Amino acid sequence: MGRPGILKKPQIDVGPLKVLNDSLHELHLQVGRPSLPKISEKSGKQTDGYLATTTIKYVMSEPRLPNFQIMQRLVAVLVEFAPAGLMDLDETTKGFIEKWQAAAKAEDNPPPNPHVQELRDTGNAYLKLADAYQRAWRMAGSVFSERTVANEWAYVAELSAELLGDNHPATVEARERAGADAH
């Protein structure tokens, strides 16, 4: 069991969700690291604004975008722990809303696979796709198992989708071949 007021930070890749979570942890630290039961108690009785300790722990310690209303309520409760006049609730909440919105947008439009991004940055992405496509064709004509060939086509489809788009003919063909070879 951990020490009261010390909350585990989740492993989150660099990006808006990490910024949001780090900011929640920083706010928690700034107000004296109150324990989960104290935060829950300050949130009120079991009404609309009540925050259970499990809910607080989830928001602070899981690598997922928290519920918008719960995040706002948690921020409001944490600000109540600050010494009088130290934090402005409206200003603090506005900053967290902006961070939440940025994380939500990033979740809706994730960055490309890091391997694909690295290939794009070096200018070799399309060469890599062409090599993978050629390898899948050769494997299909050899003694490889159908599952191995299907996995190779699935890899080609994933790479092609990120480089050329979901509806590009090469992507569609690779997906069809991955499905056909899997059976």
Short mmCIF file of all heavy atoms in Angstrom, two decimals, residues 5-12 17-18 20-31 33-36 39 51-67 70-71 74-75 78 96:
data_model
loop_
_atom_site.label_atom_id
_atom_site.label_comp_id
_atom_site.label_asym_id
_atom_site.label_seq_id
_atom_site.Cartn_x
_atom_site.Cartn_y
_atom_site.Cartn_z
N GLY A 5 -1.56 10.35 -0.09
CA GLY A 5 -1.25 11.56 -0.84
C GLY A 5 -0.26 11.38 -1.96
O GLY A 5 -0.04 12.29 -2.74
N ILE A 6 0.36 10.21 -2.06
CA ILE A 6 1.31 9.96 -3.16
C ILE A 6 0.60 9.07 -4.17
O ILE A 6 0.28 7.92 -3.88
CB ILE A 6 2.60 9.30 -2.64
CG1 ILE A 6 3.15 10.12 -1.51
CG2 ILE A 6 3.54 9.04 -3.80
CD1 ILE A 6 4.56 10.52 -1.54
N LEU A 7 0.33 9.62 -5.33
CA LEU A 7 -0.40 8.89 -6.36
C LEU A 7 0.53 8.47 -7.48
O LEU A 7 1.37 9.24 -7.93
CB LEU A 7 -1.52 9.77 -6.92
CG LEU A 7 -2.55 10.24 -5.90
CD1 LEU A 7 -3.50 11.25 -6.52
CD2 LEU A 7 -3.32 9.05 -5.36
N LYS A 8 0.34 7.24 -7.93
CA LYS A 8 1.16 6.69 -9.01
C LYS A 8 0.86 7.42 -10.31
O LYS A 8 -0.29 7.62 -10.67
CB LYS A 8 0.83 5.20 -9.14
CG LYS A 8 1.58 4.51 -10.27
CD LYS A 8 1.04 3.11 -10.48
CE LYS A 8 0.24 3.16 -11.75
NZ LYS A 8 -0.40 2.05 -12.23
N LYS A 9 1.92 7.82 -11.00
CA LYS A 9 1.76 8.43 -12.32
C LYS A 9 1.77 7.31 -13.37
O LYS A 9 2.63 6.44 -13.32
CB LYS A 9 2.92 9.39 -12.62
CG LYS A 9 2.77 10.75 -12.05
CD LYS A 9 3.94 11.60 -12.47
CE LYS A 9 3.48 12.97 -12.81
NZ LYS A 9 4.56 13.81 -13.31
N PRO A 10 0.84 7.37 -14.31
CA PRO A 10 0.83 6.33 -15.34
C PRO A 10 1.92 6.56 -16.38
O PRO A 10 2.44 7.67 -16.52
CB PRO A 10 -0.55 6.50 -15.97
CG PRO A 10 -0.87 7.95 -15.77
CD PRO A 10 -0.23 8.32 -14.45
N GLN A 11 2.27 5.49 -17.08
CA GLN A 11 3.21 5.59 -18.21
C GLN A 11 2.42 6.08 -19.42
O GLN A 11 1.55 5.37 -19.92
CB GLN A 11 3.83 4.22 -18.52
CG GLN A 11 4.75 3.72 -17.44
CD GLN A 11 6.04 4.53 -17.40
OE1 GLN A 11 6.48 5.06 -18.40
NE2 GLN A 11 6.63 4.62 -16.22
N ILE A 12 2.68 7.29 -19.85
CA ILE A 12 1.99 7.88 -20.99
C ILE A 12 3.03 8.45 -21.94
O ILE A 12 3.96 9.14 -21.49
CB ILE A 12 1.01 9.00 -20.56
CG1 ILE A 12 -0.02 8.47 -19.55
CG2 ILE A 12 0.31 9.60 -21.76
CD1 ILE A 12 -0.93 9.54 -18.98
N LEU A 17 -2.15 14.10 -23.69
CA LEU A 17 -2.66 13.34 -22.54
C LEU A 17 -1.65 13.36 -21.40
O LEU A 17 -2.02 13.50 -20.23
CB LEU A 17 -3.01 11.91 -22.94
CG LEU A 17 -3.58 11.04 -21.82
CD1 LEU A 17 -4.85 11.65 -21.23
CD2 LEU A 17 -3.86 9.63 -22.33
N LYS A 18 -0.40 13.25 -21.73
CA LYS A 18 0.66 13.31 -20.70
C LYS A 18 0.67 14.69 -20.05
O LYS A 18 0.80 14.81 -18.83
CB LYS A 18 2.02 12.97 -21.29
CG LYS A 18 3.14 13.00 -20.24
CD LYS A 18 4.40 12.40 -20.76
CE LYS A 18 5.53 12.39 -19.78
NZ LYS A 18 5.23 11.89 -18.46
N LEU A 20 -1.84 16.73 -19.71
CA LEU A 20 -3.01 16.80 -18.84
C LEU A 20 -2.77 16.05 -17.53
O LEU A 20 -2.99 16.58 -16.45
CB LEU A 20 -4.25 16.24 -19.55
CG LEU A 20 -5.51 16.10 -18.69
CD1 LEU A 20 -5.99 17.47 -18.20
CD2 LEU A 20 -6.61 15.39 -19.49
N ASN A 21 -2.28 14.82 -17.63
CA ASN A 21 -2.05 14.02 -16.43
C ASN A 21 -0.97 14.63 -15.54
O ASN A 21 -1.13 14.72 -14.32
CB ASN A 21 -1.73 12.58 -16.79
CG ASN A 21 -1.72 11.69 -15.58
OD1 ASN A 21 -0.67 11.53 -14.94
ND2 ASN A 21 -2.87 11.13 -15.24
N ASP A 22 0.12 15.08 -16.16
CA ASP A 22 1.19 15.72 -15.38
C ASP A 22 0.65 16.97 -14.68
O ASP A 22 1.02 17.25 -13.53
CB ASP A 22 2.37 16.10 -16.28
CG ASP A 22 3.20 14.90 -16.71
OD1 ASP A 22 2.99 13.78 -16.17
OD2 ASP A 22 4.06 15.07 -17.60
N SER A 23 -0.22 17.72 -15.34
CA SER A 23 -0.80 18.93 -14.74
C SER A 23 -1.69 18.59 -13.56
O SER A 23 -1.70 19.30 -12.54
CB SER A 23 -1.59 19.71 -15.79
OG SER A 23 -0.73 20.17 -16.81
N LEU A 24 -2.45 17.50 -13.67
CA LEU A 24 -3.28 17.06 -12.53
C LEU A 24 -2.39 16.70 -11.34
O LEU A 24 -2.69 17.07 -10.19
CB LEU A 24 -4.15 15.87 -12.93
CG LEU A 24 -5.38 16.19 -13.79
CD1 LEU A 24 -6.00 14.92 -14.35
CD2 LEU A 24 -6.40 16.97 -12.98
N HIS A 25 -1.31 15.99 -11.61
CA HIS A 25 -0.38 15.62 -10.53
C HIS A 25 0.29 16.87 -9.94
O HIS A 25 0.50 16.94 -8.72
CB HIS A 25 0.65 14.61 -11.03
CG HIS A 25 0.11 13.22 -11.08
ND1 HIS A 25 0.19 12.35 -10.01
CD2 HIS A 25 -0.54 12.55 -12.05
CE1 HIS A 25 -0.39 11.21 -10.33
NE2 HIS A 25 -0.83 11.30 -11.57
N GLU A 26 0.63 17.82 -10.79
CA GLU A 26 1.24 19.07 -10.30
C GLU A 26 0.26 19.85 -9.44
O GLU A 26 0.64 20.37 -8.38
CB GLU A 26 1.71 19.92 -11.49
CG GLU A 26 2.38 21.22 -11.10
CD GLU A 26 3.67 21.05 -10.31
OE1 GLU A 26 4.36 20.03 -10.48
OE2 GLU A 26 3.98 21.95 -9.50
N LEU A 27 -1.00 19.91 -9.85
CA LEU A 27 -2.02 20.59 -9.04
C LEU A 27 -2.17 19.89 -7.69
O LEU A 27 -2.22 20.55 -6.65
CB LEU A 27 -3.36 20.61 -9.78
CG LEU A 27 -4.55 21.20 -9.02
CD1 LEU A 27 -4.30 22.66 -8.63
CD2 LEU A 27 -5.82 21.06 -9.86
N HIS A 28 -2.20 18.58 -7.70
CA HIS A 28 -2.30 17.80 -6.47
C HIS A 28 -1.13 18.12 -5.54
O HIS A 28 -1.30 18.30 -4.33
CB HIS A 28 -2.35 16.30 -6.83
CG HIS A 28 -2.47 15.39 -5.67
ND1 HIS A 28 -1.47 14.50 -5.34
CD2 HIS A 28 -3.46 15.22 -4.76
CE1 HIS A 28 -1.86 13.82 -4.27
NE2 HIS A 28 -3.05 14.24 -3.90
N LEU A 29 0.06 18.23 -6.11
CA LEU A 29 1.25 18.56 -5.32
C LEU A 29 1.16 19.99 -4.77
O LEU A 29 1.46 20.23 -3.60
CB LEU A 29 2.51 18.40 -6.18
CG LEU A 29 3.84 18.79 -5.55
CD1 LEU A 29 4.17 17.85 -4.39
CD2 LEU A 29 4.95 18.77 -6.59
N GLN A 30 0.73 20.92 -5.60
CA GLN A 30 0.65 22.33 -5.20
C GLN A 30 -0.29 22.55 -4.01
O GLN A 30 -0.10 23.49 -3.25
CB GLN A 30 0.20 23.22 -6.36
CG GLN A 30 1.24 23.40 -7.42
CD GLN A 30 0.69 24.17 -8.62
OE1 GLN A 30 -0.52 24.34 -8.78
NE2 GLN A 30 1.60 24.64 -9.47
N VAL A 31 -1.30 21.71 -3.89
CA VAL A 31 -2.27 21.89 -2.80
C VAL A 31 -1.96 20.99 -1.61
O VAL A 31 -2.79 20.80 -0.73
CB VAL A 31 -3.73 21.70 -3.28
CG1 VAL A 31 -4.06 22.73 -4.36
CG2 VAL A 31 -3.98 20.30 -3.78
N ARG A 33 -0.76 17.64 -1.59
CA ARG A 33 -0.93 16.20 -1.79
C ARG A 33 -1.94 15.58 -0.81
O ARG A 33 -1.62 14.67 -0.06
CB ARG A 33 0.39 15.46 -1.69
CG ARG A 33 1.27 15.68 -2.88
CD ARG A 33 2.31 14.64 -3.08
NE ARG A 33 3.21 14.46 -1.97
CZ ARG A 33 4.49 14.14 -2.08
NH1 ARG A 33 5.01 13.97 -3.26
NH2 ARG A 33 5.23 13.97 -1.02
N PRO A 34 -3.18 16.06 -0.83
CA PRO A 34 -4.17 15.45 0.06
C PRO A 34 -4.41 13.99 -0.33
O PRO A 34 -4.27 13.61 -1.49
CB PRO A 34 -5.43 16.29 -0.17
CG PRO A 34 -5.24 16.92 -1.50
CD PRO A 34 -3.76 17.10 -1.67
N SER A 35 -4.77 13.17 0.65
CA SER A 35 -5.02 11.75 0.40
C SER A 35 -6.33 11.58 -0.37
O SER A 35 -7.18 12.48 -0.40
CB SER A 35 -5.11 10.99 1.73
OG SER A 35 -6.26 11.40 2.43
N LEU A 36 -6.50 10.42 -0.97
CA LEU A 36 -7.73 10.13 -1.71
C LEU A 36 -8.97 10.27 -0.82
O LEU A 36 -9.96 10.88 -1.25
CB LEU A 36 -7.66 8.73 -2.34
CG LEU A 36 -6.60 8.54 -3.42
CD1 LEU A 36 -6.61 7.10 -3.93
CD2 LEU A 36 -6.80 9.49 -4.57
N ILE A 39 -9.76 13.96 -0.36
CA ILE A 39 -10.31 14.56 -1.59
C ILE A 39 -11.77 14.13 -1.75
O ILE A 39 -12.65 14.95 -2.02
CB ILE A 39 -9.49 14.16 -2.83
CG1 ILE A 39 -8.05 14.67 -2.72
CG2 ILE A 39 -10.14 14.72 -4.10
CD1 ILE A 39 -7.10 14.09 -3.77
N LEU A 51 -16.99 12.41 -5.52
CA LEU A 51 -15.92 11.66 -6.18
C LEU A 51 -15.47 10.53 -5.26
O LEU A 51 -14.93 10.79 -4.18
CB LEU A 51 -14.72 12.57 -6.48
CG LEU A 51 -14.96 13.70 -7.49
CD1 LEU A 51 -13.75 14.63 -7.53
CD2 LEU A 51 -15.26 13.14 -8.86
N ALA A 52 -15.69 9.31 -5.66
CA ALA A 52 -15.22 8.16 -4.89
C ALA A 52 -13.71 8.07 -4.99
O ALA A 52 -13.11 8.52 -5.98
CB ALA A 52 -15.87 6.88 -5.42
N THR A 53 -13.08 7.47 -4.00
CA THR A 53 -11.61 7.33 -4.03
C THR A 53 -11.16 6.54 -5.25
O THR A 53 -10.13 6.86 -5.85
CB THR A 53 -11.09 6.66 -2.74
OG1 THR A 53 -11.72 5.40 -2.58
CG2 THR A 53 -11.33 7.53 -1.53
N THR A 54 -11.94 5.54 -5.65
CA THR A 54 -11.57 4.75 -6.83
C THR A 54 -11.63 5.59 -8.11
O THR A 54 -10.80 5.42 -9.00
CB THR A 54 -12.48 3.51 -6.99
OG1 THR A 54 -13.85 3.94 -6.98
CG2 THR A 54 -12.25 2.51 -5.86
N THR A 55 -12.59 6.51 -8.17
CA THR A 55 -12.70 7.39 -9.33
C THR A 55 -11.50 8.33 -9.39
O THR A 55 -10.90 8.53 -10.46
CB THR A 55 -14.00 8.21 -9.26
OG1 THR A 55 -15.11 7.30 -9.21
CG2 THR A 55 -14.14 9.14 -10.45
N ILE A 56 -11.12 8.90 -8.26
CA ILE A 56 -9.98 9.82 -8.21
C ILE A 56 -8.71 9.08 -8.61
O ILE A 56 -7.92 9.57 -9.43
CB ILE A 56 -9.83 10.42 -6.80
CG1 ILE A 56 -11.09 11.20 -6.42
CG2 ILE A 56 -8.59 11.32 -6.73
CD1 ILE A 56 -11.21 11.49 -4.93
N LYS A 57 -8.53 7.89 -8.05
CA LYS A 57 -7.34 7.10 -8.37
C LYS A 57 -7.29 6.78 -9.87
O LYS A 57 -6.23 6.86 -10.50
CB LYS A 57 -7.33 5.80 -7.56
CG LYS A 57 -6.09 4.99 -7.76
CD LYS A 57 -6.08 3.78 -6.87
CE LYS A 57 -4.80 2.97 -7.10
NZ LYS A 57 -4.77 1.77 -6.31
N TYR A 58 -8.44 6.44 -10.45
CA TYR A 58 -8.50 6.13 -11.88
C TYR A 58 -8.07 7.34 -12.72
O TYR A 58 -7.25 7.23 -13.62
CB TYR A 58 -9.92 5.68 -12.25
CG TYR A 58 -10.06 5.31 -13.70
CD1 TYR A 58 -9.71 4.04 -14.14
CD2 TYR A 58 -10.53 6.22 -14.64
CE1 TYR A 58 -9.82 3.69 -15.47
CE2 TYR A 58 -10.64 5.88 -15.97
CZ TYR A 58 -10.29 4.62 -16.38
OH TYR A 58 -10.39 4.28 -17.70
N VAL A 59 -8.64 8.51 -12.39
CA VAL A 59 -8.33 9.73 -13.16
C VAL A 59 -6.84 10.05 -13.07
O VAL A 59 -6.21 10.43 -14.06
CB VAL A 59 -9.17 10.92 -12.66
CG1 VAL A 59 -8.68 12.24 -13.24
CG2 VAL A 59 -10.63 10.71 -13.01
N MET A 60 -6.27 9.88 -11.89
CA MET A 60 -4.87 10.28 -11.68
C MET A 60 -3.86 9.23 -12.12
O MET A 60 -2.73 9.57 -12.45
CB MET A 60 -4.64 10.58 -10.19
CG MET A 60 -5.49 11.72 -9.63
SD MET A 60 -5.08 13.34 -10.26
CE MET A 60 -3.54 13.64 -9.41
N SER A 61 -4.24 7.96 -12.12
CA SER A 61 -3.25 6.89 -12.29
C SER A 61 -3.40 6.02 -13.52
O SER A 61 -2.58 5.15 -13.75
CB SER A 61 -3.25 5.99 -11.04
OG SER A 61 -2.96 6.76 -9.90
N GLU A 62 -4.45 6.22 -14.30
CA GLU A 62 -4.64 5.40 -15.51
C GLU A 62 -4.25 6.21 -16.74
O GLU A 62 -4.53 7.40 -16.82
CB GLU A 62 -6.09 4.93 -15.63
CG GLU A 62 -6.49 3.90 -14.59
CD GLU A 62 -5.72 2.60 -14.74
OE1 GLU A 62 -5.53 2.14 -15.88
OE2 GLU A 62 -5.30 2.06 -13.70
N PRO A 63 -3.64 5.55 -17.73
CA PRO A 63 -3.20 6.25 -18.94
C PRO A 63 -4.33 6.45 -19.96
O PRO A 63 -4.21 6.11 -21.13
CB PRO A 63 -2.11 5.33 -19.49
CG PRO A 63 -2.55 3.96 -19.07
CD PRO A 63 -3.21 4.15 -17.73
N ARG A 64 -5.46 6.98 -19.48
CA ARG A 64 -6.61 7.21 -20.34
C ARG A 64 -7.15 8.61 -20.13
O ARG A 64 -6.99 9.19 -19.06
CB ARG A 64 -7.71 6.19 -20.01
CG ARG A 64 -7.36 4.79 -20.41
CD ARG A 64 -8.46 3.83 -19.99
NE ARG A 64 -8.14 2.47 -20.39
CZ ARG A 64 -7.27 1.69 -19.77
NH1 ARG A 64 -6.61 2.13 -18.75
NH2 ARG A 64 -7.05 0.47 -20.19
N LEU A 65 -7.84 9.10 -21.13
CA LEU A 65 -8.47 10.41 -21.03
C LEU A 65 -9.61 10.31 -20.02
O LEU A 65 -10.51 9.49 -20.17
CB LEU A 65 -9.01 10.84 -22.40
CG LEU A 65 -9.61 12.23 -22.49
CD1 LEU A 65 -8.53 13.29 -22.27
CD2 LEU A 65 -10.28 12.42 -23.84
N PRO A 66 -9.59 11.15 -18.97
CA PRO A 66 -10.66 11.07 -17.98
C PRO A 66 -11.97 11.66 -18.50
O PRO A 66 -11.97 12.45 -19.45
CB PRO A 66 -10.12 11.90 -16.81
CG PRO A 66 -9.15 12.86 -17.43
CD PRO A 66 -8.57 12.13 -18.61
N ASN A 67 -13.06 11.28 -17.88
CA ASN A 67 -14.36 11.87 -18.17
C ASN A 67 -14.26 13.38 -17.95
O ASN A 67 -13.68 13.82 -16.95
CB ASN A 67 -15.41 11.23 -17.25
CG ASN A 67 -16.75 11.89 -17.36
OD1 ASN A 67 -16.96 12.97 -16.80
ND2 ASN A 67 -17.65 11.26 -18.07
N ILE A 70 -15.93 14.69 -14.63
CA ILE A 70 -15.20 14.21 -13.46
C ILE A 70 -13.88 14.95 -13.31
O ILE A 70 -13.50 15.35 -12.21
CB ILE A 70 -14.99 12.68 -13.52
CG1 ILE A 70 -16.34 11.97 -13.36
CG2 ILE A 70 -14.00 12.21 -12.47
CD1 ILE A 70 -16.30 10.48 -13.59
N MET A 71 -13.20 15.18 -14.42
CA MET A 71 -11.94 15.92 -14.37
C MET A 71 -12.18 17.34 -13.84
O MET A 71 -11.44 17.82 -12.97
CB MET A 71 -11.29 15.97 -15.76
CG MET A 71 -9.91 16.58 -15.77
SD MET A 71 -9.60 18.19 -16.61
CE MET A 71 -11.02 18.69 -17.45
N LEU A 74 -12.84 17.18 -10.11
CA LEU A 74 -11.61 16.90 -9.37
C LEU A 74 -10.75 18.17 -9.26
O LEU A 74 -10.22 18.49 -8.20
CB LEU A 74 -10.81 15.77 -10.03
CG LEU A 74 -9.47 15.43 -9.38
CD1 LEU A 74 -9.64 15.03 -7.92
CD2 LEU A 74 -8.78 14.31 -10.17
N VAL A 75 -10.63 18.90 -10.35
CA VAL A 75 -9.86 20.15 -10.34
C VAL A 75 -10.47 21.12 -9.33
O VAL A 75 -9.76 21.72 -8.51
CB VAL A 75 -9.78 20.77 -11.75
CG1 VAL A 75 -9.24 22.20 -11.70
CG2 VAL A 75 -8.91 19.91 -12.66
N LEU A 78 -9.69 19.95 -5.79
CA LEU A 78 -8.28 20.17 -5.45
C LEU A 78 -7.99 21.65 -5.19
O LEU A 78 -7.24 21.98 -4.27
CB LEU A 78 -7.38 19.62 -6.55
CG LEU A 78 -7.28 18.09 -6.63
CD1 LEU A 78 -6.50 17.67 -7.88
CD2 LEU A 78 -6.65 17.50 -5.38
N PHE A 96 -7.34 23.59 -17.45
CA PHE A 96 -7.52 22.14 -17.54
C PHE A 96 -8.49 21.76 -18.65
O PHE A 96 -8.31 20.74 -19.31
CB PHE A 96 -7.96 21.56 -16.19
CG PHE A 96 -6.80 21.28 -15.29
CD1 PHE A 96 -6.38 22.22 -14.37
CD2 PHE A 96 -6.10 20.08 -15.39
CE1 PHE A 96 -5.28 21.98 -13.55
CE2 PHE A 96 -5.01 19.83 -14.58
CZ PHE A 96 -4.59 20.78 -13.65
#
